Amino acid sequence: MSLRWGILATGGIAHTMTRDLRTAGLDVQAVGSRSAEGAERFASEFEIPRAHGSYDALASDAGVDIVYIATPHPQHVETALLALEAGKHVLIEKPIALDAAEAARIRDAAARHGLLAMEAMWTRYLPHMRRIHEVIAEGRLGEIRSLSADHTQSLPTDPAHRLNDLSLGGGALLDLGIYPVSFAWDILGAPETIAASGRLLDTGADSEVATAMTHAAGGVSSTISSSRGAGPNTAQIVGTDARIRIERTWYASSPFEIVAPDGSVLERFVPHHEGRGMQFQAIEAERLVADGLTSSPAHPIDEVVDIMATLDEIRRQIGVVYPGAGE
């Protein structure tokens, strides 16, 4: 039986996600916004049966089983707890919260209620990432020694824009850098050492962040994120026997190649599917709930909290402080 989805907030990412939910044939039953007018517009656009003029009303909707949370970052913890306390499973747009303390509150609330809490790190559920994990498990790369990835874009420069406003969790790290950092965790495991450097805007938000990490599994990783210049947005995983080269844009649904040490291409994988690909995380959420699971094996909630702790340490090193984080 399909879960009945509710969409909490109606910004750009909510539109993208809802389009992909529709593409996958999933059951979107309700939407909640801070205003009745906003909810009604969104409901009309996507032919959603019920529109609620508040987040509380959406959380209280008896016809909703799982809530996709698409608010700005600082509201994630409040709205996730609202939905969990109302007995709803939650899929929370990344980052799951502003910091590890907030992420732990969400994890613990979900555990108390026996509900699924899942970060919408959609990259982990895409077909090319699934195949990459198969290639690694088959031993085709040998021992993995390094990983590198960038997420660099040219984004709005207005100081009042969400991306540049510390009070809204702005900065390159939480919007962009979380992708390559989470990727490094996914492939190489927890970091043993973290070295970060960055540049800050006049608003105090970060515009560039670079990290170098060593990992318990033996490999090293390097990541770069920027909101002020669009780079290649590619990634590589280098092993002793072969390497994987993920094409632009690596964190979205992208082709990759397995490349031998002599440069010859051993395999090329090209994903084919409808939509942007955000539906795969929702399909996985439905499978987990059907199986009675409350954490994703592909992205366990404990790991989500630990990755937020890694981002906390990166922020500490570059001097970024979000107002009210962890409160």
Side-chain angles (χ1 to χ4, degrees), residues 8 21 46 51 79 128 131 134 265 278 324:
L8 193 151
L21 291 174
F46 292 103
T79 50
H128 73 303
R131 179 59 188 145
E134 291 173 355
V265 176
M278 295 184 74

Side-chain angles (χ1 to χ4, degrees), residues 231-249:
N233 289 302
T234 57
Q236 293 201 68
I237 305 167
V238 179
T240 52
D241 296 339
R243 63 188 169 94
I244 286 176
R245 179 173 62 208
I246 313 176
E247 299 175 10
R248 180 181 181 92
T249 305

Side-chain angles (χ1 to χ4, degrees), residues 94-118:
K94 55 87 198 130
I96 192 171
L98 278 181
D99 61 14
E102 290 186 353
R105 289 178 62 195
I106 294 170
R107 175 197 61 194
D108 295 347
R112 284 196 307 272
H113 294 285
L115 295 166
L116 174 71
M118 185 169 155

Side-chain angles (χ1 to χ4, degrees), residues 170-185:
L173 182 63
L174 287 195
D175 267 272
L176 309 178
I178 186 173
Y179 282 94
V181 170
S182 182
F183 183 44
W185 260 87

Side-chain angles (χ1 to χ4, degrees), residues 186-207:
D186 188 24
I187 302 301
L188 296 172
E192 289 186 317
T193 65
I194 303 168
S197 59
R199 289 187 174 178
L200 307 186
L201 302 168
D202 290 341
T203 64
D206 50 292
S207 56

Side-chain angles (χ1 to χ4, degrees), residues 52 54-64 67 82-83 86-88:
H52 298 292
S54 72
Y55 299 152
D56 291 88
L58 175 68
S60 300
D61 188 328
V64 169
V67 174
L82 176 69
K88 317 299 187 192

Side-chain angles (χ1 to χ4, degrees), residues 107-317:
R107 175 197 61 194
D108 295 347
R112 284 196 307 272
H113 294 285
L115 295 166
L116 174 71
M118 185 169 155
E119 183 181 57
M121 178 50 73
W122 64 300
T123 302
R124 293 220 182 183
Y125 304 94
L126 291 170
H128 73 303
M129 285 296 170
R130 298 285 198 184
R131 179 59 188 145
I132 285 170
H133 275 280
E134 291 173 355
V135 169
I136 292 172
E138 292 163 2
R140 295 178 64 185
L141 302 188
E143 181 185 354
I144 298 176
R145 302 304 303 162
S146 67
L147 175 150
S148 59
D150 79 298
H151 191 171
T152 47
Q153 298 189 33
S154 181
L155 299 176
T157 59
D158 180 359
H161 192 281
R162 177 189 69 81
L163 291 163
N164 305 313
D165 186 346
L166 275 183
S167 68
L168 295 176
L173 182 63
L174 287 195
D175 267 272
L176 309 178
I178 186 173
Y179 282 94
V181 170
S182 182
F183 183 44
W185 260 87
D186 188 24
I187 302 301
L188 296 172
E192 289 186 317
T193 65
I194 303 168
S197 59
R199 289 187 174 178
L200 307 186
L201 302 168
D202 290 341
T203 64
D206 50 292
S207 56
E208 281 83 26
V209 182
T211 71
M213 299 186 288
T214 62
H215 297 261
V220 298
S221 67
S222 61
T223 78
I224 296 176
S225 57
S226 174
S227 61
R228 287 295 180 269
N233 289 302
T234 57
Q236 293 201 68
I237 305 167
V238 179
T240 52
D241 296 339
R243 63 188 169 94
I244 286 176
R245 179 173 62 208
I246 313 176
E247 299 175 10
R248 180 181 181 92
T249 305
W250 72 266
Y251 47 84
S253 193
S254 303
F256 73 83
E257 295 178 335
I258 304 173
V259 182
D262 65 3
S264 60
V265 176
L266 304 176
E267 177 185 322
R268 179 172 170 80
F269 178 88
V270 181
H272 298 284
H273 56 80
E274 293 185 68
R276 188 174 184 229
M278 295 184 74
Q279 68 267 31
F280 292 105
Q281 61 190 340
I283 293 168
E284 177 68 359
E286 294 211 359
R287 185 192 70 80
L288 294 171
V289 171
D291 291 346
L293 300 177
T294 57
S295 180
S296 166
H299 195 28
I301 189 63
D302 286 337
E303 183 177 306
V304 172
V305 175
D306 289 341
I307 290 172
M308 290 308 303
T310 296
L311 298 180
D312 290 349
E313 173 59 19
I314 294 168
R315 285 194 298 110
R316 186 193 68 79
Q317 291 188 26

